[in-house]
Amino acid sequence: MSRIGRAPITVPKGVDVKIEDHTITVKGPKGELRRTFHTDMTVQCADNIITVQRPTDQKQHRALHGLTRALLNNMVKGVTEGFKKELELVGLGYRIEAKPRGLLLNVGFSHAIFVAAPAGVKIEVPRPNGIVVSGCDKELVGLMAAQIRAVRKPEPYKGKGLRYVGETVKTKAGKTAK
């Protein structure tokens, strides 16, 4: 048995789980998430505990077992606590500006770059060089943070660019170093 797949998920108070065929809807205080899972996996919810079961011990079913349970756990955690990714901007003259539907980045190009936020993702600029991407869908939050970071990745000589908070950038020695 998969160690992750066999672990039950406890549903906290205030969270509503609906299972219709292989589509599962989870509603909570932070929002609502819906996802369709593989038809071979059996998901049951009884007494505020969600369990995932697989039909056979085949390699594909073992992989789907843990995946399905992890995705369900992320859905439950997302609608109760939410997820967030923090980024920081390093570089002289680089600026960030929050707009109603996204983010305006001035990061050394000849023009400003607008990054649009999808529905369900909130982008905040709490300080001049910090960005916080938050939402209830872990996949969307991570994707949005990666798209923002891809606008200007940290360069290897001075480390200028957008990076995750706590990320270390390996810097190279320049031409003058011998």
Side-chain angles (χ1 to χ4, degrees), residues 33 74 77-78 83 85 135-143:
L33 295 173
N74 286 341
K77 186 178 176 189
F83 294 100
K85 291 266 189 181
C136 62
D137 191 352
K138 186 175 187 177
E139 186 178 350
L140 269 180
V141 169
L143 180 67

Side-chain angles (χ1 to χ4, degrees), residues 63-166:
L64 285 170
H65 191 207
L67 172 71
T68 304
R69 192 263 178 205
L71 291 173
L72 273 169
N73 190 43
N74 286 341
M75 289 171 69
V76 171
K77 186 178 176 189
V79 297
T80 54
E81 302 168 21
F83 294 100
K84 76 176 183 177
K85 291 266 189 181
E86 295 182 25
L87 293 103
E88 62 184 350
L89 182 65
V90 177
L92 198 61
Y94 291 180
R95 288 192 315 269
I96 312 165
E97 189 178 338
K99 293 288 183 182
R101 292 194 179 102
L103 195 65
L104 192 65
L105 301 167
N106 292 310
V107 287
F109 298 116
S110 61
H111 58 285
I113 296 172
F114 181 76
V115 180
V121 174
K122 186 177 170 187
I123 299 176
E124 298 172 340
V125 182
R127 54 189 191 280
N129 65 341
I131 304 168
V132 176
V133 181
S134 59
C136 62
D137 191 352
K138 186 175 187 177
E139 186 178 350
L140 269 180
V141 169
L143 180 67
M144 191 68 224
Q147 287 175 347
I148 292 171
R149 184 182 180 273
V151 170
R152 177 69 92 176
K153 289 183 181 174
E155 55 99 11
Y157 295 102
K158 292 183 181 175
K160 292 168 39 172
L162 285 158
R163 64 176 84 163
Y164 296 112
V165 170

Side-chain angles (χ1 to χ4, degrees), residues 1-9 52 65-71:
M1 263 333 261
S2 167
R3 289 185 190 149
I4 294 173
R6 71 175 165 215
I9 303 167
V52 180
H65 191 207
L67 172 71
T68 304
R69 192 263 178 205
L71 291 173

